[in-house]
Amino acid sequence: MWTLDILLWNLVVAVVCLLGQARPNTKLGPQSSSGLNSDCVGNLMRLTLDKALAVGNQLEVEAINGTKHVVLTPSLAAQCGYSMESDPWGNTRIYTSLLGCYVDNKDDTTFNVGLKLRLYRHGPSNVVSHDVTQTCSYTRWASKEILCDRNYVEVSNYMAAPDSQRGTKRQPHNVKDDSQVNAIPNVSGASPSVWKITFFTPEPVTMMLREAEQAGYSTMTTSSRLVMRSPYNTAETYSVDIAGVPMEVFRVSAYYKAQDGLSVVNLAAACPTGGVLFTEDVISWHVPRRLTPVMDAKFKIEEMYMGINGQRLDQSQMAARGYTLSTTGFHIIMEIPVGSPDGYYKSHAPDYQYHITYTIEPMLEVLWRADHAEDTRYRVLFPITTPLMPRLPLVEDRTTQEDRTFRVHLGNFLGDVELRNITFSTGVLTVEESQARGFTIQEHSLPSGTKGFLLQVPFDADVVLKHNSELLVTTYFLPLIFGFIILPDETPFAHPVNLEASLQDVVLPTLVGTCDEILFYVNVTLGNKGRNFQTMVGSRQLTPQLAEEYKFQENSTHFSMAVPYLSMDVAFEHIASDSIRARLDMLLWDPDNQRVLGDLYLACNFPFSTTCCYPNGTITAMAVKLESVPNLVPGWLSLKDQSCTPDFSDDRFAHFTFTADSCGTTRMFFDDYMLYENEIGLYYDKGVAYTSLPDPAYRQTISCYYAVNKTETISFTHKPSNYEPSAEIGSGQLMVQMRLALDSSYGDFYQPEDYPVVKYLRQSLYFEVALMYSTDPQLELILQNCWATLQEDRTSLPSWDIIVDSCENHEDGYVTIFHPVLSDTTDLVPSHIRRFSAKMFAFTKDEEVLMDEIYVHCDAIICDTSQAEPACTGQCVHPAGIQNFKPPLIKGASRKQRSSNSTQQKQISSGPILLQPNLQ
């Protein structure tokens, strides 16, 4: 039970040597205000040393024996009746038995105790000492007294002695007589009365007095008592189980020399070493009601007291603290609430996990009276520490998205816990380094007596991780590991915390473009996420080499480029006699999240002549590969005479030179003009096996009109189909189909049996409208209007516009996004397909959701690109999805007037789409 080494009560790690005279010297009595306080508690003197006096010092205690001072080592303290209790912060209590070796005993009624405390700081030259004296009066001796202190057991028995023996006492060191029998060095005094001792282990072991004292036992006589004292766990003590409680037993027979002859005194004591039960809230200490080795006759309990730190408590004090003291047939039971202010909590970190213990030192005092009128006073000072109790730190996320700051409070630590560092995603920072980086760290005291720590980190700090979970939403992550130490031994432990917050704070980039006679000009305004995307020009990614070719320029907020219309990244849509319609497709692609951040489809007409008719009869013609004939290889083209092949060709152009009287050119006369015609086409050799056949519908007519006296170019006709639109008259129905895709890849679609399709609020809906069973590249599908209703009836109200006059509805905060159709992603002609996406929403009225189901309807126009029809101006090319306000996702009732049906217009509708109700 005694754990200190070499010196008693060393409060710091280093061990000091014994010193001579200390200075300054302060002499204190009871109730001192210097951090020392002494008082009398029953048969003990108690000295309290405040932590403010002891912290940082090493303590050495000496017993004052007349004019001499004796250093109390741990073994000597246990032998002579001294003990100490010290908490981890230096609050110390020293107990001295009034029957101790170096106590001045006046007739077993008045006791003078003297101690010298030496406090060492930083070495032998810096010493402060205090002399403490205390006089205690104690007259309530029972016939037998048993004291169980924390490091020894003491038992004394009343013993009538002749006058010549009164006042003599036995001290354990160096008391000499003529025979030197049983003498202990360095102590002078009268001869002892006890000369031999028999210990029961439980087998008898006999020792002479000097042998017993050399083994660590103490024997002394006072004016009226015989005293025996034994440290715990000696060879002559033994353990037994009494009523389920483990006890350490000390039993001796002392052979006493009296004037009337030899007497034998039997002494026995039993001290508990267990018997404690714990719950989360209560400590229950069980002591056997009958100590078998001590009492061998009938008895009754005359007095029973509970105390704390050696001091009795009365009933009102016990009630105020919630303490109870009770008995059963076998036990005396003391119940103490965990957390009582008479004890203290302590932090621990086994396996780097936070735990706490609670320690308190209750005292039990019982007076038993036997049938033969002999009484026994039993007093136990029993320090109790609970098992380790895990305490998971309480994490409170106080993050406020409005000011874009993470706030986390980590709390309910004891006062001996100190925050040392924090591990962020970028590394470990001390508290001081974190504060220097602009992070706020505060320590807060809580009403419960514990404390907590508050950390504040801005969203834009470099230690915060970011991810765009949705197109306009940024999710911020702050992984943390708080590093703590436990004082005073600086035991480390850690606790991880992960914080997350999402904000709709993304500003997407925008693209705008213009054209002159030879160039596309594109300007891109970056959003608030910077240039964290790939730029696709046509089907190619913008590389540094390509950027240099397109005169790429950039700064922190914009970049721009100029793309020639004859660039290979430009698609040709239509060719006329004096111009060509070219289109530049640009896409800003987020590869990490696989989504489009912005797009631009810019189409312009550029001056371009395909046919030249020279006065000498030479004709030159240029054939162009259009987007509507993606499989065409221009080098395979020829004139009517298939031996007339291009004099130059590449993957986009074929150039022919011939004369008016060659290559199958025909001639016709009109009044004063002659018309020469030929045709560029693709003719297959039936005897040749083609691995990949081009589109066979390519025909381009070349016409030159010559006057009688001059030659000039008269007209040009481009026919990307097998026949002139008016060459064959027929009739039939064109079928248009609307489908809902599973995702933005448009690879899989919901089937009829999947309806109604369930979607969450604000989840994207991917629609495809396609012209079916047609391969005519001159036909183009245009979405004129699209809208949503509550009912399957497309004319029902309320409704909400999704596409208006072929463009997105700008009154909608979440505008419609048009998706490009690449030529290699479908078997259909790309101009026959339109794809768009919109956000799932619900209709409301007076802030009440009307229904959780919607239907989507569209009016589509089938256009002949060779005819200039007002309704066929093309799908909207404005960049979509860029808004500066937070849009509502719950729609009211709003609808524009629809155009009436025409022979070109097709009406299609989707199946029901159901809103998931628990995410509204």
Side-chain angles (χ1 to χ4, degrees), residues 645-660:
T645 57
D647 54 353
F648 165 80
S649 68
D650 58 18
D651 58 350
R652 308 185 77 200
F653 301 96
H655 186 270
F656 293 87
T657 302
F658 61 98
T659 59

Side-chain angles (χ1 to χ4, degrees), residues 528-604:
N528 61 355
K529 297 299 181 182
R531 194 159 171 251
N532 60 339
F533 51 79
Q534 294 177 356
T535 302
M536 304 297 295
V537 183
S539 60
R540 292 194 297 172
Q541 183 177 344
L542 184 66
T543 62
Q545 296 76 13
L546 196 59
E548 182 178 0
E549 178 183 340
Y550 291 157
K551 299 179 174 56
F552 180 87
Q553 295 181 341
E554 69 174 330
N555 57 31
S556 59
T557 59
H558 296 75
F559 72 81
S560 62
M561 65 177 68
V563 181
Y565 82 92
L566 292 178
S567 165
M568 65 177 295
D569 296 311
V570 174
F572 299 134
E573 293 184 334
H574 179 72
I575 190 167
S577 59
D578 59 352
S579 66
I580 188 169
R581 184 172 179 83
R583 189 184 78 247
L584 175 65
D585 299 339
M586 278 193 62
L587 198 68
L588 306 182
W589 175 253
D590 178 3
D592 295 332
N593 299 294
Q594 297 290 300
R595 60 167 65 100
V596 176
L597 302 181
D599 52 30
L600 176 69
Y601 305 97
L602 179 61
C604 298

Side-chain angles (χ1 to χ4, degrees), residues 400-584:
T400 52
Q401 297 185 354
E402 292 75 12
D403 58 1
R404 300 175 59 83
T405 301
F406 281 111
R407 288 184 177 85
V408 59
H409 185 270
L410 196 61
N412 290 11
F413 296 105
L414 298 182
D416 57 353
V417 172
E418 189 174 277
L419 178 62
R420 177 60 57 90
N421 56 49
I422 302 175
T423 302
F424 297 94
S425 61
T426 56
V428 181
L429 297 177
T430 65
V431 172
E432 294 75 16
E433 290 170 339
S434 300
Q435 292 172 330
R437 292 279 295 273
F439 309 150
T440 300
I441 300 177
Q442 297 174 340
E443 181 178 312
H444 293 159
S445 296
L446 303 176
S448 61
T450 58
K451 66 180 180 180
F453 302 92
L454 177 67
L455 171 67
Q456 297 184 144
V457 179
F459 283 4
D460 57 1
D462 61 350
V463 300
V464 177
L465 306 177
K466 306 172 182 68
H467 172 66
N468 292 107
S469 55
E470 298 181 28
L471 184 61
L472 299 178
V473 175
T474 303
T475 301
Y476 298 88
F477 302 93
L478 181 59
L480 303 166
I481 300 177
F482 287 86
F484 300 95
I485 61 169
I486 298 173
L487 300 175
D489 49 0
E490 298 193 355
T491 304
F493 72 96
H495 188 73
V497 175
N498 293 295
L499 302 177
E500 179 180 332
S502 296
L503 284 178
Q504 188 170 310
D505 59 356
V506 177
V507 177
L508 295 178
T510 57
L511 302 90
V512 295
T514 59
C515 304
D516 61 10
E517 292 185 350
I518 59 173
L519 294 170
F520 292 96
Y521 297 95
V522 179
N523 189 70
V524 178
T525 301
L526 302 178
N528 61 355
K529 297 299 181 182
R531 194 159 171 251
N532 60 339
F533 51 79
Q534 294 177 356
T535 302
M536 304 297 295
V537 183
S539 60
R540 292 194 297 172
Q541 183 177 344
L542 184 66
T543 62
Q545 296 76 13
L546 196 59
E548 182 178 0
E549 178 183 340
Y550 291 157
K551 299 179 174 56
F552 180 87
Q553 295 181 341
E554 69 174 330
N555 57 31
S556 59
T557 59
H558 296 75
F559 72 81
S560 62
M561 65 177 68
V563 181
Y565 82 92
L566 292 178
S567 165
M568 65 177 295
D569 296 311
V570 174
F572 299 134
E573 293 184 334
H574 179 72
I575 190 167
S577 59
D578 59 352
S579 66
I580 188 169
R581 184 172 179 83
R583 189 184 78 247
L584 175 65

Side-chain angles (χ1 to χ4, degrees), residues 623-626 629-637 650-652 681-682 693-696 698:
V624 180
K625 179 180 179 179
L626 299 178
V629 283
N631 295 322
L632 175 67
V633 178
W636 292 356
L637 296 172
D650 58 18
D651 58 350
R652 308 185 77 200
L682 187 62
L693 293 179
D695 190 336
Y698 190 91

